[in-house]
Amino acid sequence: MGTSKWVPTVCYQCKAECSILARVEDGKVKEIRGNPKSHGKVCVKGMSGPATQYNSDRLLYPLKRVGKRGEGKFERISWDEALDTITKKLKELKNRGEAHKLTASFFPHSITDPKWRFLNAYGGFINTALPHCDSAKIVAFLRTVGGVPNHHIPPAWFTMPKGGIMILAGRHAFGGLDNAAVPRDILDAKERGAKLVVLDPIFTPDAAKADQWIPIKPGGDTAFFLGMTQHIIAKNLYNKEFVDNWVRDGDFAKLKKWIADKTPEAMSKICGVEPAVIKKLAVECAKAPAVGVDSFKGIMLGQALDWGHAWNIFLAVTGNYDNPGGQPLPELTPMAPVAPGPGGPDLHELGFHRTGPNRTVFDKYGFIMEPTWYEAQAIRDDSLKVLITSECNPALTEMGQSGWQEAVTMKDSKGKYKLELLVSIELMHSETSKFADIVLPDKSYFERWELLYMPWWYNFGHGIALRQPVVEAPGECRHSNEVFIELGKRLAPEYFKFKDDLEYYDTQLAGLGLSVKKLQDMGGLWSPGTMGFYKYRAGGFGTPSKKVHLHWEDLAGAPAYQDWPRPGTAPEYEENVKEFPFILLSYRSIYHTGSGQWSHNNPHLRDSVSGMHENHLLINTATARKLGIADGDLVMVEAPNGGKVRIAARLSEGIRPDCVGMHHGFGSTIGRVATQGKGVSDNLLVPDAGATLQWQDVVAGEAHVSTRVRIGK
Amino acid sequence: MKQLGLAIDLKRCIGCKTCIVACRNFHELVNPSEAVPNQMPYYLHVESRWHGAYPSPALESWVVPCQHCPDPLCVPACPEGAIKKDPQTGIVRIDAELCNGCNAVPGQCGSEKTKSAPCAARCPAHMNVESYVRLAGNGRFKEALRVMKEDNPFPAICGRVCDHPCETECKRKDIDEAVAINFVKRHIADQDLKAETRYVPPIKAQRKEKVAVIGSGPAGLTAAYYLAREGYPVTVFEKASKPGGMLTLGIPAYRLPRDVIEAEIQVIRDMGVTIKTGVEVGKGTTVERLRKNGYKAFFFGIGTQKCKTLDVPGENLTGIYPALDYLRKVNLGEKAPLGKKVAVIGGGNAAIDGARCARRLGSPGTFILYRRSLKEMPARPEELEELEQEGIPIQTLTQPVRFIGEKGKVKAIDCVKMVLKGKDASGRRRPEPVPGSEFTIQVDGVIMALGQETDWACLTPDCACKLGDLGAMAVNPVTLQSDDADIFAGGDAVRGSSSVIEAIADGKQAAMSIDRYLKGEDLYAGRKTEWVPVENVQKEKYSPARRAVMPRLDPEKRLTGFAEVQLGLGEEQAQTEGQRCLGCSSACVQACPYGVIQFDGVKAKSHKCDLCVERVQFGEIPVCAATCLTDAIQFGELDLLRQKIAARGGEIVEALSRESILYVK
Ligand SMILES: Cc1cc2nc3c(=O)[nH]c(=O)nc-3n(C[C@H](O)[C@H](O)[C@H](O)COP(=O)(O)OP(=O)(O)OC[C@H]3O[C@@H](n4cnc5c(N)ncnc54)[C@H](O)[C@@H]3O)c2cc1C
Ligand code: SF4
């Protein structure tokens, strides 16, 4: 055995980005552990990191397309040629006055991310690369409390007191992790005497550990919580102290009036849960020392903004903001700005959803990024001309996947691609990179520097983590941040006067009296070491009134009618009920959270023993018997959009009889490992979101993946 | 060091499999650049089961590492003695120096778990043939007996009468001749005949649910054996005066001596099973009555006791015996006079045994009439050989059309010649009469052995179960459960007349189903239904060697009584024969019921969890415990673990816990 050491860094097998230790031996990553100085846990995907790192499919050199888009024929080129090609196109675009027709699609790891700076400086836009992202949840929180908690800021379960109630509403917290420590923390809280309640049409592993599983109708969360809130108010059990002091004047009276007929009995009809169950939990919640609610997946079943609204009303009425066990509110760390700061393009006038024929539809759009699911439509409308994708796979994950693939291959009257340049920065070839004009080899998370700071980590309120190279990158790989800094130097040099990413991070860290070196010496982690409960008591909430806004008056009337939460479930569920008797639930597991090659092309995660080899159609045993379907039978699943997939049935007692479930993200067609696995893509069953705006959420940007299906042989 | 182990908390295990990958990383089990999904080694895996039904089930998932069993099956299975259990720590380890990797192939991994030695794959009961044969080759007969009795309660009986389909698959045939698996088995199993060397398996737990087994043939007694091992109180109801089914009532003593049957049934009695003979379910008592008396599950192994008839004139004349009646009388020592010249009609086991009995009981002119040709005859070649030695001719392509009597007693048979044409439903060629070929044979007696069917009078209206085609009971092919959730069936009663080893296989599967049924578990979960044989076997190490020849009793001496014809191999002969085995798969891999031993794809050895002893020596804890996502896995000295569990109000789930790995609820 040669030299062996443990190096602290940050995992990126999924978006949770947990602090880890990597054991490096003779220049190779061998093992992973959770970092005990952070939460100390790493999940099965993180554990499988070395297999991503040493995947034989890693891209090593820049490539340019030589065949047609989608053919997957490439030729090696130099970095100079690659960057020159991109620079030339971007200059041309800017000179045409169409800088806003550049969009970069990537997961914004951090608000310190230099990619973001480049887009602001150049005048382009970003979308999160997450088609069904939790934008509606963010918008709902922004509107009510003025803070931006997203799925990475669930209740701090480790602060949940005895007697507290943990509600997972359509949230598979043990699978789609906010942090690898969440399952432990929830189970610890349970052992301390907190109660775990799971609302989910599927019997998830979380439900298996819950004190109460409520197999709710998909999308029934809004109705369920409105029913609870109505009952709490009617029984005079609401948190008077919080409501009197922290709810905007007049809002509670308006709520009381509006919610009067949202009784548990009335809501029961929508959410399919007995009124007695709603009432019992309502009373328990009102009396509990703390209630923590987490939801993310629930919102993907449609009407997420309404649900986010109902959820916030419930939190306000029970006073569960920023208390131990309740909903934490974010706080910003005083990072130093890198001067001069680019202002950024006008979010309300430009951007691909604002410049096409549908612009008026988006009048009330309130999210800060482009709706990723509108990408394909934007290309059709000539509102998107250059697309740079990184660490994402829209060709497979974008709803109505063939819609995206068609759009990027669409030509104008002169026979030129409507999307003029498609660049993919990736670790390995993906369905998306097959269509790209330029493919750039990215550095893995074991090979790059990254300063990670988001005010929404599952952390002590907020913290900073350093991702540092633990091994050398193979071939000519460069991190996407380095690429964007280089493009910045070429296209907007006044904003890119710093030497490199390290200097950029150093400047920002100076606000805390730190530098990359110091942070490295500290073990790569900084945190204030406190949760900072009840921050609102000093200075109020982040809203204009400094109080909680229950009523969203600007959304009253047409077209939204969303000043109060609409209790109904997704409209797609109410149509075609006879021809398509089942609601399709698209779910995830701890093994795969998306369609990324890092999990789908990872041997551990595609191995049946240590991961998931293929997806199945989860179907209730009784339902299956009625249809004459046996476990393992191949069935045909068809959706109203004409989409069809053939998939093996898996019979289970753990799903509502009126629903069927399909694990999301499968169906890869590329990669040594991925192509040895089986499975089909659920996205084929979902309509192209950009072309079906009547279904979509154009206020908060959630794309509906809600659909009904029928099952045949 | 004290006994070491793990405590796995079922309230905390969420089945995330993080430990499996962590273990692979630490032990460097895979090369990530080349690893192929579903062909990767693992030291632990995850199992899960459902309880109850929608909307309130409770999923339990748990990780299964090597259990470091109190009586590990891998230890005796290894022909090299490379696997040992450390008496101090209780850790079971494979000595890499001693392991010869059997047929491990460098660079190939995973298939050893999914693929078995061809013999084991073919054996209906999937006995770990390779292990017991190779152990015999090493002279380790005692261990070999234990290995055999994991999969088969009747090795001494099978060693005599089994139709050993395993041998037809034996890879040794590529070099010379198949290993004489059955002869070796018999030699090993004969230890069971003496109380001192007998192996009586330990009873695992104490359970209170009563189980009724109906029929004491090999199917029923096998079910009883496995259920008794799980700790259930089992009562076997048998309508005949002696237990054993066809073993006792059908197969004659010159093939299967009565003391052999008795010895192996005695083991089952020693395990606490009650056998009540002379009780016919359906007449004396009924399923409904047994249910009322607290029986929670039933196994029907009632065989096929009714002989089929030819439907030709004269069948009811005296001097014509249905084979089973004849054999039953003979086997129970009753008189069944036939005269000098006896025709036995049929070509199966019952026909041949009927003929050989008649030959021994004063009918020198016994012959067999068979409507197809010798090729189609279900009898085994060695049986035909013995038949010839005993001077019993077979007249093929002949079919009786009428029995002619005199004063009510059979005198002659009118026959017709047959010719084979086309194919019937069973894929055999179909015999058709040749017009104008009638002829008559004079006889003194006839035995009709045309096959058997089941008498289902025992199924009183309180049972919902249905009969399928051929009058056999319709059961689920995997679980052997019938339409009544508490009724299971197997053996000839389900398959139609078949074989002892098929009956044993069914008894074993049914016992597993009944156990799960009584525990409220999933009947299907993790059941291996498809056995795939390995294809590539290394043969270079072996040079040709003759197959052992079974010593037989002189034909003249045979005909004077019912002395056993096959005399058995001697110890040295059995050992030499055992050495002919090529060890096609890996005996330890096949022996482990938890599936946690595998080949090392690189070094071509077997390997498995050793509780990370090399880490533990330096005061660290095993990787799985160190990385468990929910802190569900605790490592330590077993005594301390037990104390900790008790202190936290936990309860050890005895049904899952062996010795070193404690599952806690
Ligand atoms: C003559 C002969 C020779 C054979 N030779 C061989 C051989 O060499 N090798 C081989 O592998 N197979 C051989 N077989 C086949 C083999 O014996 C059978 O396949 C096997 O015994 C079937 O086992 P079983 O437990 O299903 O049924 P059986 O052995 O038939 O046992 C059924 C038992 O159930 C009892 N029973 C039936 N009804 C009731 C009731 N209502 N209540 C209580 N008890 C009841 C019967 O009395 C019987 O004891 C032979 C069969 C025969 C007839
Ligand atoms: S949840 Fe797992 S994959 Fe995601 S960052 Fe954490 S350890 Fe890595």
Side-chain angles (χ1 to χ4, degrees), chain B residues 230-453:
Chain B
E230 294 301 320
Y232 294 98
V234 183
T235 309
V236 180
F237 299 95
E238 168 56 55
K239 82 173 171 193
S241 58
K242 280 190 181 162
M246 285 305 166
L247 305 173
T248 311
L249 306 172
I251 305 176
Y254 56 82
R255 285 211 287 136
L256 183 54
R258 304 295 105 164
D259 58 332
V260 174
I261 306 175
E262 262 141 43
E264 288 199 319
I265 294 183
Q266 189 54 42
V267 173
I268 292 171
R269 286 206 184 88
D270 289 349
M271 289 166 72
V273 172
T274 310
I275 303 177
K276 292 192 176 165
T277 50
V279 183
E280 179 170 355
V281 173
K283 277 202 190 131
T285 181
T286 60
V287 170
E288 198 45 42
R289 206 170 303 157
L290 291 172
R291 279 187 183 134
K292 283 210 188 91
N293 285 344
Y295 285 92
K296 298 286 180 228
F298 300 86
F299 176 76
F300 275 86
I302 59 175
T304 46
Q305 315 301 333
K306 262 197 341 205
C307 274
K308 291 187 189 154
T309 52
L310 256 183
D311 280 337
V312 297
E315 232 170 321
N316 295 328
L317 293 167
T318 48
I320 303 182
Y321 289 88
L324 291 187
D325 292 357
Y326 175 73
L327 287 167
R328 194 175 295 128
K329 281 188 197 293
V330 170
N331 282 322
L332 294 174
E334 296 167 20
K335 288 230 153 53
L338 279 164
K340 292 262 179 264
K341 193 166 180 203
V342 176
V344 182
I345 300 160
N349 276 317
I352 290 170
D353 281 332
R356 294 177 72 183
C357 284
R359 181 75 182 82
R360 280 168 171 74
L361 292 171
S363 309
T366 304
F367 64 98
I368 292 177
L369 286 183
Y370 182 51
R371 60 186 181 141
R372 292 184 169 93
S373 74
L374 269 188
K375 240 185 29 229
E376 280 77 32
M377 209 154 162
R380 295 188 300 276
E382 62 193 70
E383 268 183 298
L384 294 178
E385 200 182 306
E386 289 173 5
L387 207 63
E388 201 190 325
Q389 290 168 352
E390 293 169 18
I392 303 170
I394 306 174
Q395 188 160 344
T396 57
L397 294 167
T398 306
Q399 171 89 331
V401 290
R402 184 178 311 109
F403 295 97
I404 301 161
E406 203 180 275
K407 292 185 205 142
K409 190 177 172 305
V410 69
K411 199 72 200 126
I413 314 174
D414 279 351
C415 298
V416 64
K417 276 287 185 199
M418 307 295 274
V419 62
L420 295 176
K421 283 200 185 135
K423 275 191 181 144
D424 70 1
S426 69
R428 292 190 297 181
R429 294 206 290 155
R430 193 181 37 241
E432 277 178 24
V434 180
S437 65
E438 286 82 3
F439 64 101
T440 306
I441 308 174
Q442 300 298 320
V443 293
D444 301 315
V446 175
I447 297 174
M448 302 274 279
L450 302 156
Q452 302 96 28
E453 55 197 11

Side-chain angles (χ1 to χ4, degrees), chain A residues 15-217:
Chain A
K15 319 274 181 230
E17 314 216 74
C18 303
S19 292
I20 54 168
L21 302 177
R23 186 166 70 79
V24 186
E25 187 184 305
D26 299 330
K28 281 205 137 198
V29 186
K30 297 278 187 176
E31 279 191 273
I32 311 292
R33 291 286 183 277
N35 188 340
K37 288 196 179 142
S38 178
H39 293 273
K41 291 291 173 193
V42 61
C43 78
V44 62
K45 295 183 293 304
M47 233 10 129
S48 307
T52 296
Q53 174 65 18
Y54 299 111
N55 197 305
S56 53
D57 289 331
R58 283 284 301 269
L59 293 165
L60 302 175
Y61 310 101
L63 303 171
K64 91 169 174 210
R65 175 173 60 80
V66 291
K68 284 192 229 131
R69 275 196 190 154
E71 247 179 29
K73 286 195 193 143
F74 295 97
E75 188 177 278
R76 180 176 167 180
I77 53 169
S78 69
W79 270 104
D80 280 343
E81 187 184 338
L83 290 167
D84 288 350
T85 312
I86 301 169
T87 310
K88 191 166 154 241
K89 176 51 79 184
L90 288 177
K91 272 205 177 127
E92 184 198 315
L93 196 71
K94 195 164 189 162
N95 291 342
R96 264 165 34 198
E98 293 190 338
H100 58 278
K101 295 193 175 177
L102 161 71
T103 290
S105 188
F106 59 85
F107 175 67
H109 290 264
S110 169
I111 50 180
T112 58
D113 200 313
K115 294 195 273 299
W116 220 328
R117 181 182 187 85
F118 169 80
L119 290 165
N120 285 345
Y122 175 82
F125 286 83
I126 157 178
N127 69 45
T128 62
L130 305 169
H132 344 164
C133 84
D134 51 344
S135 57
K137 175 174 169 185
I138 296 175
V139 171
F141 273 85
L142 274 172
R143 284 177 162 275
T144 31
V145 292
V148 283
N150 76 352
H151 62 293
H152 291 254
I153 183 163
W157 303 115
F158 48 89
T159 66
M160 179 59 74
K162 176 179 177 183
I165 299 179
M166 304 180 274
I167 304 181
L168 302 177
R171 177 78 184 88
H172 176 22
F174 291 180
L177 299 168
D178 293 314
N179 182 287
V182 162
R184 173 200 64 197
D185 292 351
I186 289 181
L187 292 169
D188 279 351
K190 242 194 102 188
E191 247 181 67
R192 269 200 304 281
K195 177 176 172 170
L196 178 62
V197 181
V198 173
L199 289 138
D200 202 309
I202 295 184
F203 185 66
T204 55
D206 324 41
K209 297 288 184 271
D211 298 284
Q212 190 179 3
W213 173 43
I214 302 175
I216 192 169
K217 218 173 136 188

Side-chain angles (χ1 to χ4, degrees), chain B residues 119 122-124 132 158-170 178-183 185 380-382 499 501 547 566:
Chain B
C119 45
R122 179 64 187 84
C123 173
Y132 70 73
C158 282
R160 288 169 169 82
V161 302
C162 185
D163 53 1
H164 48 73
C166 51
E167 291 185 21
T168 53
E169 302 297 321
C170 180
V179 174
I181 298 171
N182 216 35
F183 297 169
K185 181 196 289 137
R380 295 188 300 276
E382 62 193 70
S499 67
I501 192 69
R547 175 183 155 108
Q566 303 197 344

